[in-house]
Amino acid sequence: MYAQMVKSTGQGVKSLDEMEPQERAFQERINAGEKIEPKDWMPAGYRKNLIRQIGQHAHSEIVGQLPEGNWITRAPTLERKAILLAKVQDEAGHGLYLYCAAETLGVSRDELTEDLLSGKMKYSSIFNYPTLTWADMGAVGWLVDGAAIMNQVPLQRTSYGPYARAMVRICKEESFHQRQGYDIMMKMAQGTPAQKRMAQDALNRFWYPSLMMFGPSDADSVHSAQSMAWKIKMNTNDELRQKFVDQTVPQAEYLGLTVPDETLEWNDDKGGYDFAEPDWSEFFDVIKGNGPCNVERLAARNKAWDDGKWVREGLLAHAEKRASKKVAAE
Amino acid sequence: MSDKATFEFLCRMGDNTLVLGHRVSEWCGVAPVLEEDIALANTALDLIGQTQMWLGLAGEIEGRGRTADDLAMTRDAWDFRNVLLAEQPNGDFGQTMMRQFLFDAWHLAMLQALTRSCDTRVAEIAAKAVKEVRYHVERSGDTVIGLGDGTEESHRRMQAALDLLWPYVGEMFIPDAVDDAMAEAGIAPDLTELRAGFDSHVGSVMEAATLTIPDTDFAHKGGKSGFRHSEHLGHMLTQMQWLQRAYPGASW
């Protein structure tokens, strides 16, 4: 999940009877499964909440280029290099669709970028973990994209039209990424003893951070209740986490790898696995900026933005010169 | 004309795209604007794809069972045959785009000629690559114009990039024994014949960019012959080849 702990109005969900007529009509459209489009009336809280959520998702795609970009120049074969490049290119493309979706809500990409760079807006906690071996490219695809898909597939049905449509396209590419990641893991798990060791090590390091991607339990969260009423959040964090674990454990078994959780056990009654919670204090540390790579990630994005200033200004100045020449010619 | 010369020639084509593709991929995630991240990744991806075709054919012609990956990942710097321009460091974004444009303008002319190669395998690869490179040169040319004719700062940086990289242009056009053998066999064009078209193309872009081409025909050489690469190539290879070298025989 690329958006974590997004705050809504914080006031709890109103019943239809408590709403003013305009808001009630809006909620009834959502309840009926209609899509809300940019020019439609919407409550200020809905707009604000969506900007936060879509913006955070977009930022995650952008920052998410860095841990994978870390291995492009060291990819072991030409084909792996090409696949990884294509994947990172897709992620930049996802960022672009999502910023465009956010722009339909009245915020500019530059404003959102400034908020990312100043640390005001967040991106997913997962991208604050380092990628240390080639197997991490497998683990990121398999686990991180796998966790993202759990959240994003239902979001194809989200109430806001531009977001839902962006998500349809994103999901197609993400499931391809996940298969590629699993394919890397398979090669490693069936490879030399050193490769197997890399694969197990990657799973050990990425398992709990992947579980954290869904965010802490939100069964009692007023923010989540409101987001779910607005259909900009479709499932609780615990539901999605359970689904992810249930899907991933058999995949790990197939690879011959061990999930780093001694308490992991199939529970017949609930039809799912019982599993250990991640260390939530670590999660909150990462969110606060104290993850292993927070400082580097934000510094890298800030440096890219600052170093690129002359380029953006140059291209803009040229475009203005051309436009004024064109006007002069007319 | 020997297979050895053809092998050398194909390594030149494939090493150019491999080395430049690697350099461009170093921009991943840190371009000045999101659209450039996408475009740079796309360019790198095309170049790596072309590498697979050129080095794949090189391995076949050599007949020693080496694959494109073997050639890319296990040769040392002295066996690389890329021009020096391709291995020059990225510098700032302007330097990267100037390097790209100078290479693209040569690459387009070369590939257009290679589509008429008497070796059908070469002609087929060129036909596929030329479609991608037409787009590369359009984009890099537009960027050179936009930044050359942008602000005072962007102009200054682009002129500095042109001054720095111009001495690496000549190597792409000065034929040696391998090039002569290829031209004679009808596999590749006479490089000197590509120069006039290149000069006119580059001249018109630089004029629109308000940049001045240095008044020198001095040319660094030693890349495509492998005789003397720059110090930069070895560092690039330590990254590119690290996994294959550290874990020989593993399958990835």
Side-chain angles (χ1 to χ4, degrees):
Chain A
M1 190 199 274
Y2 286 177
Q4 294 161 323
M5 306 191 65
V6 176
K7 287 187 177 153
S8 69
T9 58
Q11 289 162 354
V13 184
K14 285 191 233 170
S15 70
L16 286 175
D17 290 338
E18 290 168 316
M19 293 177 187
E20 297 296 325
Q22 202 169 26
E23 187 175 359
R24 182 182 173 128
F26 172 84
Q27 188 63 50
E28 281 171 345
R29 286 181 65 197
I30 288 181
N31 294 349
E34 279 182 45
K35 291 276 177 270
I36 306 301
E37 296 299 335
K39 287 181 179 164
D40 296 347
W41 182 88
M42 61 187 81
Y46 177 85
R47 184 185 299 275
K48 201 167 159 189
N49 200 343
L50 264 178
I51 289 174
R52 282 186 187 147
Q53 183 172 330
I54 299 174
Q56 201 184 109
H57 188 167
H59 296 331
S60 299
E61 299 282 359
I62 301 310
V63 178
Q65 294 181 91
L66 298 171
E68 293 188 296
N70 183 37
W71 278 92
I72 285 180
T73 56
R74 289 178 290 170
T77 67
L78 295 170
E79 191 186 4
R80 290 291 183 201
K81 193 192 288 279
I83 291 170
L84 191 56
L85 266 166
K87 183 182 176 195
V88 176
Q89 186 191 15
D90 283 349
E91 278 154 12
H94 297 172
L96 200 55
Y97 311 148
L98 288 162
Y99 284 129
C100 290
E103 280 179 330
T104 65
L105 292 159
V107 63
S108 74
R109 200 209 300 182
D110 281 355
E111 286 171 288
L112 289 170
T113 300
E114 294 293 347
D115 284 349
L116 167 68
L117 298 179
S118 70
K120 189 177 158 201
M121 278 183 91
K122 301 290 180 204
Y123 52 90
S124 177
S125 56
I126 193 72
F127 300 118
N128 290 311
Y129 288 87
T131 53
L132 302 177
T133 73
W134 175 250
D136 288 11
M137 294 303 97
V140 167
W142 172 38
L143 301 173
V144 174
D145 291 321
I149 290 167
M150 283 296 156
N151 177 53
Q152 290 170 4
V153 165
L155 281 177
Q156 295 178 99
R157 293 178 285 109
T158 188
S159 63
Y160 189 57
Y163 191 24
R165 290 188 288 274
M167 215 48 79
V168 170
R169 202 159 160 187
I170 289 172
C171 281
K172 277 187 199 152
E173 293 178 347
E174 291 289 4
S175 61
F176 181 67
H177 297 169
Q178 196 201 7
R179 282 204 297 278
Q180 292 295 347
Y182 195 70
D183 186 60
I184 291 177
M185 289 308 272
M186 186 92 86
K187 273 275 186 198
M188 306 289 282
Q190 293 172 350
T192 64
Q195 286 177 303
K196 276 184 209 159
R197 188 179 153 202
M198 277 184 223
Q200 182 63 53
D201 173 66
L203 175 57
N204 293 348
R205 281 182 288 106
F206 276 96
W207 175 255
Y208 287 107
S210 300
L211 296 187
M212 290 177 201
M213 286 176 69
F214 299 96
S217 178
D218 59 352
D220 305 318
S221 159
V222 287
H223 299 298
S224 292
Q226 178 61 74
S227 291
M228 288 175 81
W230 278 333
K231 291 193 188 166
I232 55 183
K233 182 178 172 72
M234 312 301 278
N235 306 87
T236 66
N237 295 347
D238 291 326
E239 282 167 4
L240 292 170
R241 188 169 13 251
Q242 181 70 51
K243 217 171 151 193
F244 173 74
V245 171
D246 293 345
Q247 174 186 291
T248 308
V249 170
Q251 293 171 344
E253 283 168 0
Y254 187 76
L255 291 171
L257 300 177
T258 308
V259 173
D261 176 359
E262 286 175 4
T263 69
L264 188 76
E265 197 175 8
W266 179 258
N267 179 333
D268 254 338
D269 293 338
K270 75 172 181 187
Y273 286 90
D274 289 331
F275 57 92
E277 288 278 316
D279 175 358
W280 289 111
S281 67
E282 177 181 315
F283 172 79
F284 288 109
D285 275 337
V286 175
I287 292 281
K288 268 188 258 163
N290 294 324
C293 297
N294 293 59
V295 173
E296 283 158 75
R297 299 288 186 246
L298 216 48
R301 286 309 308 162
N302 271 290
K303 183 174 189 307
W305 189 248
D306 295 344
D307 288 353
K309 186 166 182 267
W310 72 270
V311 175
R312 296 189 299 276
E313 286 173 352
L315 294 175
L316 192 65
H318 176 71
E320 282 164 1
K321 281 185 207 175
R322 277 181 53 171
S324 59
K325 270 184 205 157
K326 204 175 157 203
V327 170
E330 284 165 2
Chain B
M1 194 272 314
S2 67
D3 278 356
K4 191 165 181 317
T6 312
F7 173 75
E8 285 279 317
F9 166 72
L10 293 167
C11 285
R12 290 179 182 189
M13 295 304 293
D15 289 343
N16 279 338
T17 52
L18 173 61
V19 166
L20 186 62
H22 183 102
R23 278 283 182 248
V24 175
S25 78
E26 291 171 355
W27 273 99
C28 175
V30 295
V33 64
L34 191 47
E35 284 80 354
E36 290 299 336
D37 272 312
I38 296 172
L40 288 165
N42 195 49
T43 303
L45 190 54
D46 288 344
L47 293 172
I48 297 303
Q50 293 169 19
T51 305
Q52 288 175 294
M53 295 191 284
W54 290 124
L55 293 185
L57 182 56
E60 259 178 60
I61 299 252
E62 186 192 36
R64 283 170 49 198
R66 288 202 284 183
T67 63
D69 280 328
D70 293 334
L71 290 170
M73 300 297 175
T74 58
R75 282 176 303 156
D76 204 344
W78 57 24
D79 285 330
F80 270 70
R81 294 292 180 262
N82 58 283
V83 291
L84 294 172
L85 178 68
E87 71 197 43
Q88 294 309 302
N90 285 340
D92 64 14
F93 181 75
Q95 193 176 315
T96 291
M97 292 313 293
M98 183 61 77
R99 182 188 63 201
Q100 190 68 38
F101 174 66
L102 295 173
F103 179 80
D104 288 344
W106 170 83
H107 203 198
L108 178 64
M110 182 67 172
L111 290 171
Q112 280 171 333
L114 288 177
T115 60
R116 298 185 293 273
S117 172
C118 70
D119 185 319
T120 51
R121 293 168 301 181
V122 170
E124 280 165 17
I125 296 174
K128 207 164 168 222
V130 79
K131 290 184 201 144
E132 296 168 343
V133 170
R134 232 177 246 129
Y135 168 74
H136 295 175
V137 75
E138 190 184 318
R139 197 184 82 82
S140 60
D142 283 352
T143 309
V144 166
I145 292 171
L147 292 174
D149 181 39
T151 58
E152 206 174 300
E153 180 181 8
S154 72
H155 176 86
R156 177 177 57 73
R157 285 175 181 261
M158 295 313 282
Q159 185 63 54
L162 179 58
D163 294 346
L164 179 74
L165 296 172
W166 189 252
Y168 295 97
V169 164
E171 187 185 14
M172 299 190 285
F173 296 97
I174 300 171
D176 62 7
V178 171
D179 297 312
D180 290 343
M182 289 298 101
E184 205 169 306
I187 293 175
D190 176 350
L191 292 179
T192 58
E193 285 175 12
L194 303 180
R195 185 72 202 237
F198 173 91
D199 282 338
S200 124
H201 182 185
V202 171
S204 68
V205 166
M206 293 310 162
E207 193 187 332
T210 70
L211 297 173
T212 310
I213 294 174
D215 184 21
T216 169
D217 56 3
F218 173 74
H220 287 293
K221 55 183 187 294
K224 71 179 177 181
S225 68
F227 179 70
R228 187 185 290 133
H229 279 283
S230 67
E231 290 179 348
H232 307 296
L233 182 63
H235 291 283
M236 178 191 287
L237 297 184
T238 57
Q239 265 199 4
M240 186 194 292
Q241 301 181 336
W242 176 70
L243 274 175
Q244 291 282 2
R245 301 256 187 205
Y247 302 95
S251 164
W252 304 90

